[in-house]
Amino acid sequence: MSVLRIAIQKSGRLSESSRSLISECGIELEQMGAALRAPASNFALEALFLRDDDIPGYCAEGVVDAAIVGLKVLSEQGADVETVRPLGFGKCRLAIAVPKSAQYDSTASLNGLTIATSYPNLLQRFLDQAGVRASVNTISGSVEVAPSIGLGDAICDLVSSGSTLLGNGLREVETVLVSEAVLIRNKNLSVEKTATLQKLLFRVDAVLRARKTKYISLNAPDEAIPDIVKLLPGLKSPSVLPLALSGWSSLHSVVAEDDFWEVIDQLRAAGAQGILVFPIEKVIV
Ligand code: PRT
Ligand code: ZN
């Protein structure tokens, strides 16, 4: 089988989660010290550790076959690659912020301002779409201090919790792009490498689905089962097993992480007791 070469960020916010994903797919990387590449011992894959800014270009050129990278790096560079999956980690947004005291009503308030950013292309595209005429000042780092040192009236930078903006006396006013880590691939992979990528994707999907779901078991009086089954659609429908105590059953199913607490409240109201919740490692449908 052809070895798939995949790039991940060397050191930074996406590194650990990228490595965890590969490891949860059951793929063991044999990294020697600080080596920039690591073959997998049990899968036709080799990982390359790169700076995030280099990843989209290398993938487009075919230096690597696939990669994990932030959507905003990819969109800023406009590299010619195919986005295969959003991966659910590295979530952040590219946002415009103004000093707390500045008057701001709508995008029209940006007219005539100078906006400091490290993402000039994404910002310019946003301004063009909004019909705003502002000047873009490209700076490479510490964008959040720009207004206080006279380098701009506003900034366009990445935000996750918002505490950096707050600490610099800035207020978020517009979202330019919502970003997360994505899996990308080169557009001209050989048939063999495409097959290896499909095999990897099968595992990635099982891991991502598992991260979004929990396994749940509970006890309920038999008359409550119809109501509880409606609340627990599961993968097909819940398993129902009789308890030793007559008139009672145990139900087993999966619930989505997103509406988990809501469902728990409804299950209790429907008569469920002894609710146990377990993490799931893989979900294969
Ligand atoms: O060395 P290399 O070039 O590879 O790394 P880098 O320094 O360019 O990137 P890195 O490791 O900082 O970020 C990698 C990826 O993580 C980014 O491309 C994003 O997709 C994602 N990510 C998620 C973030 C953030 N959250 C984030 N909050 N990247 C940067 N930030 C910064 C932001 O620039 C700002 O300075 O964190 C600050 C804001 O954080 P809050 O929590 O205070 O809002
Ligand atoms: Zn970078």
Side-chain angles (χ1 to χ4, degrees):
M1 188 177 275
S2 218
V3 173
L4 189 79
R5 189 183 267 188
I6 179 165
I8 63 176
Q9 193 188 18
K10 180 167 173 278
S11 57
R13 287 167 193 264
L14 301 184
S15 307
E16 209 181 302
S17 303
S18 303
R19 284 172 185 271
S20 302
L21 180 61
I22 290 173
S23 137
E24 283 173 52
C25 287
I27 298 171
E28 285 167 26
L29 297 178
E30 294 179 329
Q31 194 176 9
M32 307 291 271
L36 290 184
R37 59 200 278 190
S41 59
N42 56 357
F43 196 88
L45 177 144
E46 169 183 68
L48 235 66
F49 307 105
L50 302 173
R51 283 204 53 196
D52 66 348
D53 315 73
D54 295 334
I55 289 177
Y58 281 9
C59 188
E61 288 162 19
V63 177
V64 296
D65 304 312
I68 296 175
V69 71
L71 178 64
K72 54 100 212 182
V73 180
L74 184 66
S75 309
E76 174 66 19
Q77 297 186 3
D80 191 20
V81 296
E82 189 181 322
T83 302
V84 189
R85 288 285 186 288
L87 297 173
F89 59 86
K91 289 190 175 175
C92 58
R93 54 198 184 276
L94 188 63
I96 298 179
V98 298
K100 240 183 269 169
S101 56
Q103 166 87 20
Y104 190 90
D105 305 311
S106 67
T107 46
S109 305
L110 298 170
N111 274 311
L113 301 188
T114 297
I115 308 174
T117 190
S118 306
Y119 303 92
N121 298 329
L122 286 170
L123 174 59
Q124 193 61 58
R125 209 181 303 159
F126 175 84
L127 295 174
D128 290 346
Q129 271 165 15
V132 170
R133 282 172 173 272
S135 45
V136 173
N137 187 8
T138 306
I139 58 179
S140 60
S142 305
V143 173
E144 60 277 357
V145 300
S148 62
I149 56 172
L151 280 175
D153 308 301
I155 67 161
C156 173
D157 197 13
L158 287 180
V159 183
S160 75
S161 67
S163 62
T164 304
L165 291 184
L166 208 66
N168 286 281
L170 298 165
R171 174 164 64 103
E172 192 176 340
V173 291
E174 299 291 344
T175 303
V176 172
L177 179 83
V178 175
S179 177
E180 67 182 284
V182 291
L183 182 68
I184 57 172
R185 57 165 283 182
N186 176 276
K187 286 187 169 173
N188 305 306
L189 290 187
S190 65
V191 174
E192 292 80 15
K193 285 190 175 179
T194 304
T196 310
L197 179 64
Q198 287 308 330
K199 205 172 156 195
L200 173 67
L201 277 175
F202 180 79
R203 298 188 185 193
V204 167
D205 287 341
V207 172
L208 295 182
R209 259 186 241 115
R211 286 181 180 176
K212 287 191 208 142
T213 42
K214 302 251 181 248
Y215 188 93
I216 184 166
S217 89
L218 56 87
N219 297 329
D222 288 343
E223 59 273 18
I225 293 175
D227 284 346
I228 291 179
V229 166
K230 276 187 221 144
L231 294 169
L232 291 178
L235 293 176
K236 233 185 201 85
S237 82
S239 324
V240 181
L241 309 165
L243 289 189
L245 179 66
S246 98
W248 282 75
S249 296
S250 162
L251 281 85
H252 296 237
S253 189
V254 296
V255 286
E257 173 89 65
D258 287 347
D259 40 39
F260 175 71
W261 287 110
E262 187 104 346
V263 173
I264 297 282
D265 288 343
Q266 292 170 357
L267 289 171
R268 292 181 66 222
Q273 296 180 9
I275 302 174
L276 302 178
V277 177
F278 309 89
I280 299 178
E281 211 174 276
K282 313 275 186 292
V283 176
I284 294 149
V285 289

